[in-house]
Amino acid sequence: MKKLLIAALALLLFACSKTRNSETPFVTPEPFSSPEIDARVEAIMANMTLDEKIAQIQGIRPTELLEDGNLSIEKCREKIPNGIGHMCQFSSSFTMEPEELRDFVREVQHYLMTETRLKIPAVFHEEAITGFSSKGATTFPQQIGVACSWNPEMVNRNALSTRNNMKAAGANYALSPMMDVIRTAHWPRIEESYGEDPYLTSTMGVAFANGLQGDDFKTGIAVTTKHFAGYGAKTTNEKDFFEDYLMPHEALIKAANVKSVMPSYAAYNGVADVANPELLNGILRGKLGFDGLAVSDYHAIDHVFGKYGQASSLKEAAVLALKAGNDLEFPLPKTYEFLPEALKEGLITMDVIDTAVKRSLIMKVKLGLLDDPVFGLDGDLDFDPPANRELAYEAACQSIVLLKNNGILPLKVDELKDIALLGPNSDNVFCLLGDYTYQSMITYFWGQTFDPTSPKIVSIIEGLRNKLGDKVNIHNERGCDWTEPLGTTIDPNSYGDGELGTAKKNILSRVAQPNLEKALEMASKSDVIIAAMGENTYLCGENREREGIRLPGEQELFVEKLIETGKPVVLVITGGRQQLVDKFEDRCAAIIQAWFPGEEAGNALADILIGKVNPTAKLCVSYPMDESEAELNYQHGYQEVKPQYPFGYGLSYTTYAYSDFNMPSKAGVTDLYFSISCTVENTGSVDGAEIVQLYVSPVDSASTMDAIQLKGFKRVDLKAGEKKTIEFEVSPQQLMQYLGDRWIVEAGKYEFKIGASCLDLPLSGIIELRGEDLLLENRNVFFSRVSIAD
């Protein structure tokens, strides 16, 4: 009791304290509803039939409403006679031009507002992690690459451009971003994540949400944080779950006012997340204080019955999910359609149904759908204007990580006569686009092809030709396939049907046959070899498992043959995960991890290769050196599994020096902030940007805190010879741990370190936090504040 009283007094003093700009580190989300909205929604619900209520907590794919490729009013009357809550993935399932897409939205909304009794429009939702998933829309680098920029301001700008595109088409809701903390390259959806660190993930996610949603739902796009929670992780440790895996979701909910959460396909404590009352009602709505809308992942409620066997029927699965706190079913009315039967049978109460319906309608009010809504912009639409392409180029440049360089880069173009650009990823666009881009979705999930000019996707060969012109002879040959043995003649029709087989057919029929002998001949006659290797659309992404994390197929053997020519090899890897380079890391002249770099991939890569752009990206994941499936987590100190390259690592064409570390020797546990500062200097001859990273480690060997944790960072632009001072204002509450069902900030000593990666930390100091341990019921502090001075 004494400690709780001390904690309450400390919090009061903490909240009343003032910094130099009167800001506190506390974040408080706005309430989902208000008395006025509640009254409005309750008045609507009082006039609703049961079928009309159920319709508002269901989604449907727009393809269900088509006949001969056009919207069918008869289909609408059959499928959605009472209205509908959401139109699911409405743009990524079509090959419509922007204006056609907008007109389709208007036609559906016109039907709902003229032919259904309540005249309630639908929410149109789509994916958005790499931009608006629609034909012709700007395609940014995949999220794992963007995280390597460590640039939340850039993320915010990109998301704002996505918002503008979505609003122009009539969309108002996004099933993005993915906020899962992922610590293994073996999980095929790692590419959608911001990497392995909860602080970096939270920072980037909040920036994304602020750009896409903004501070007004009516002018923004409602953001969904997914997948709640611990999806893609192997942990069963409650401390790790609360401290690390919940943090990004919690940060979006509390710091970015996100009001939509998607439970994952996984299970928490053995119970499917979408039907888990402990997770959704206990943790999400209870401990985290979430008051918004929970929406199912696609077919996740089906899985409660089918995959998990935790329900005896689809009807029981619906009951379990709704009772647990999942409000909407996506993407089809498959289980919630049984709710009227369940109600008659006494399996569920009207109050439970009404709670979900009310939340669905509150969101529609907040989005402005019940207030003379306007669906899309009139006139011609351009989803990829020059300003957006510049954003995509900048994002690609800042996402590409230079892992090794023996001095070969930047290429000395004036001294080169012949460049051999070889490999399966050298001459096509299928290796440049991440999962949940429009191009990937239309290829993999819908079995169609896409137009690589809408938007224009710049391949690596195109980028080099754009930048080099006729200054150097560029010799191009694929040399090997992505997965087939060297020397194989590829038959695109030999891969069967289904999503994977169809995707392979569509892609392989649009690329050249590889010619090994020709590639090796080109290599031997060139001054330098650029080997473009790695993955493509069907080798990484949801439902795309492959064996191991080495370069696929016989790509490693192909690289070995290139090295044997004696010519310097610059290895460029594209794909959605870290792919092993241990077999030839010491023999490649340079190694670049480019991820899936999006529409401006070729131009960005070319500019980095020739030195027009100085690489600045740092790894958002630890880079493994072997096939171990154990999670690789820098926070645990790399005790058992060593990385090839550590978290936060990345090379540049210049050098940086750290100095002038300054931090007080002591601070109070209840202090608002304490300051840590240092000076960073560009000691090379090339302008660049250094990502300054702040970490903390416990001094007490008995501490239960992780060995090292990121607590702040800043991307700092520095001209050659320039130096700047970076100041971090750190809240003691950033040091809280989840122990015994509550949060604790332990008094004691902590070592703070500053440097260029989690293993390259030249500056450090120890601070003692004095006072009683601080006990807290909730986490309301997430980030340090950072400023830069010349």
Side-chain angles (χ1 to χ4, degrees), residues 400 432 460 572 574 592 594 597 600-610:
I400 295 168
L432 308 176
I460 298 177
V572 176
T574 64
I592 291 174
E600 279 288 316
N603 289 330
L605 269 165
D607 279 341
I608 286 174
L609 288 167
I610 67 176

Side-chain angles (χ1 to χ4, degrees), residues 178 180-182 187 189 226-236 241 245 249 262-277 279-280 295-305 307-310 321 324 326 542 631:
M178 186 214 250
D180 302 313
V181 173
I182 306 301
W187 195 56
R189 297 189 71 177
K226 67 181 186 184
H227 307 85
F228 193 84
Y231 189 42
K234 297 181 179 179
T235 185
T236 57
F241 182 76
Y245 295 100
H249 301 289
M262 177 183 283
S264 84
Y265 289 125
Y268 178 72
N269 286 341
V271 179
D273 286 356
V274 75
N276 192 322
L279 181 69
L280 300 185
V295 302
S296 83
D297 206 338
Y298 283 20
H299 304 292
I301 304 176
D302 312 1
H303 294 178
V304 180
F305 166 59
K307 175 182 176 181
Y308 286 102
Q310 294 172 354
N326 183 85
E542 186 170 16
E631 291 193 332

Side-chain angles (χ1 to χ4, degrees), residues 4-17 26 670 672 733 736 774-778 780-781:
L4 285 175
L5 288 173
I6 291 172
L9 178 60
L11 280 175
L12 180 62
L13 293 171
F14 198 103
C16 292
S17 301
F26 290 115
T670 60
L672 201 61
Q733 289 202 26
M736 64 173 61
L774 185 60
L775 308 182
L776 301 165
E777 292 300 318
N778 297 294
N780 291 301
V781 177

Side-chain angles (χ1 to χ4, degrees), residues 152-165:
E153 292 81 12
M154 183 187 76
V155 170
N156 183 272
R157 292 192 296 271
N158 294 351
L160 178 58
S161 76
T162 300
R163 180 211 297 192
N164 294 337
N165 277 348

